[in-house]
Amino acid sequence: MSRNREALLREIQEIQFTTVELQLFLDTHPENRSALADYVEYSNKLHDLILQYSKLYGPLIGFGITSEELDKGYRWINSWPWEDLGGNR
Amino acid sequence: MWLYQRMLQYPVKVSGPNPALAKNIITQYGGPDGELAASMRYLTQRYTMPLKETQGLLTDVGTEELAHLEIVAALVYNLVKDASIQQIKAAGLDPYYADHDRALYFVNADGNPWTAAYIQSKGDPITDLHEDMAAEQKARSTYEYLIDLSDDPLVTDALRWLREREIVHFQRFGEALVRTQEYLDNKKFY
Ligand SMILES: [Fe+2]
């Protein structure tokens, strides 16, 4: 995986971690307006990054949520997240 | 329905083949306090929760546990995929190899297959939320024992991250229990 691709993925992982945290928090604090405002802000940021990543490297979410690019072929199956984690020493 | 996002929730790495460590970590894949049990427990308990927000919490934590299941699978897979037969024998993973080669299967560290008897779905929301809180503590303890056993600093980093999540889940389930208890108490009086 290229350095740019990995960096963009890290950014997505970090921002999505925040949205997961906020969503769980809102499940038990639904009246908390500032957590809701943060959730909206981070969700918007996350959408932009996921779209950016999917255009460059293929869809990040399946079933039509992020699309393929016609000229680039079917890229969903290109690589899987459990590959290349450094098993072979 | 569920959507698959083609990335790990947290970036994990392993230093090299280590079937002995994989043999222990697999318990968080298919063991009594592992991620499969966690996910299935929450996702099946959610239907009978009286509060919408608790249904939401069980849906969201149950979904996050699926992401953790994938992380544990990625660790085990990468720890055994390049291990030699000699290494597998030395690690005592040969009985597992006899049944599954290097494939992922839902067992605990001793090789016992996953069973729905690991989880409960009682219908009483107070009972179920107490089970969920206990389950998070049991998962935390297991990650701590695995951290004790780990001789790969990269794997230890992943285990520490997973351990932290159990603490957050425990906190949220505790809050859900208070809200549910208040709701049930109010229902009694009015
Ligand atoms: Fe958990």
Side-chain angles (χ1 to χ4, degrees):
Chain A
M1 199 183 286
S2 74
R3 191 139 6 122
N4 289 343
R5 181 175 175 180
E6 200 160 331
L8 185 52
L9 199 59
R10 289 292 162 278
E11 210 181 330
I12 290 170
Q13 282 166 324
E14 275 167 31
I15 292 185
Q16 190 152 48
F17 179 75
T18 308
T19 60
V20 169
E21 275 287 70
L22 285 165
Q23 187 164 331
L24 299 188
F25 181 82
L26 283 163
D27 285 335
T28 56
H29 305 78
E31 56 290 295
N32 189 310
R33 300 293 299 182
S34 90
L36 186 62
D38 286 348
Y39 183 73
V40 171
E41 187 193 326
Y42 280 97
S43 303
N44 289 335
K45 233 184 258 183
L46 182 64
H47 289 173
D48 290 347
L49 289 171
I50 287 177
L51 210 65
Q52 194 186 326
Y53 181 97
S54 301
K55 283 214 156 78
L56 289 167
Y57 307 114
L60 195 59
I61 305 172
F63 295 166
I65 301 300
T66 53
S67 181
E68 294 277 7
E69 308 275 294
L70 249 188
D71 54 321
K72 298 201 168 108
Y74 184 57
R75 293 187 293 172
W76 174 252
I77 51 177
N78 275 1
S79 68
W80 294 100
W82 54 85
E83 292 169 354
D84 300 323
L85 303 184
N88 39 342
R89 180 154 42 189
Chain B
M1 73 174 289
W2 267 264
L3 294 166
Y4 183 66
Q5 190 165 342
R6 209 184 48 185
M7 65 176 218
L8 297 182
Q9 194 193 0
Y10 179 77
V12 302
K13 296 264 185 234
V14 309
S15 302
N18 193 337
L21 186 52
K23 186 180 187 298
N24 293 321
I25 288 178
I26 203 165
T27 200
Q28 286 303 75
Y29 195 62
D33 307 312
E35 303 291 355
L36 180 69
S39 183
M40 295 303 107
R41 174 187 297 108
Y42 306 146
L43 293 179
T44 208
Q45 284 181 357
R46 66 192 173 134
Y47 301 97
T48 44
M49 280 292 157
L51 290 180
K52 295 283 173 214
E53 58 254 43
T54 311
Q55 294 181 351
L57 183 67
L58 286 168
T59 301
D60 296 337
V61 177
T63 299
E64 189 185 355
E65 306 291 16
L66 283 178
H68 300 170
L69 187 68
E70 187 183 33
I71 290 175
V72 173
L75 290 173
V76 171
Y77 169 72
N78 282 278
L79 288 170
V80 298
K81 79 178 158 82
D82 296 316
S84 67
I85 292 293
Q86 254 166 329
Q87 284 175 311
I88 284 172
K89 272 190 185 170
L93 200 63
D94 43 320
Y96 181 91
Y97 181 88
D99 284 326
H100 311 290
D101 191 336
R102 293 176 181 81
L104 269 291
Y105 187 63
F106 296 109
V107 292
N108 77 344
D110 266 337
N112 299 313
W114 191 83
T115 162
Y118 287 156
I119 68 172
Q120 183 53 285
S121 188
K122 205 68 186 166
D124 181 327
I126 300 302
T127 307
D128 281 348
L129 286 166
H130 274 100
E131 152 141 344
D132 302 342
M133 292 173 71
E136 293 296 333
Q137 293 296 350
K138 288 186 274 184
R140 177 188 56 77
S141 300
T142 307
Y143 279 119
E144 285 171 12
Y145 304 150
L146 291 173
I147 289 165
D148 293 342
L149 293 166
S150 174
D151 53 0
D152 180 337
L154 296 177
V155 173
T156 302
D157 173 72
L159 296 171
R160 280 193 216 284
W161 185 86
L162 289 162
R163 176 189 173 277
E164 285 302 310
R165 298 310 296 152
E166 312 305 5
I167 294 169
V168 172
H169 294 167
F170 174 78
Q171 171 75 24
R172 296 285 96 89
F173 283 134
E175 292 159 357
L177 176 65
V178 171
R179 290 180 79 96
T180 304
Q181 189 72 66
E182 280 170 2
Y183 167 80
L184 294 174
D185 289 348
N186 284 337
K187 235 175 86 177
K188 250 177 240 161
F189 289 114
Y190 302 107

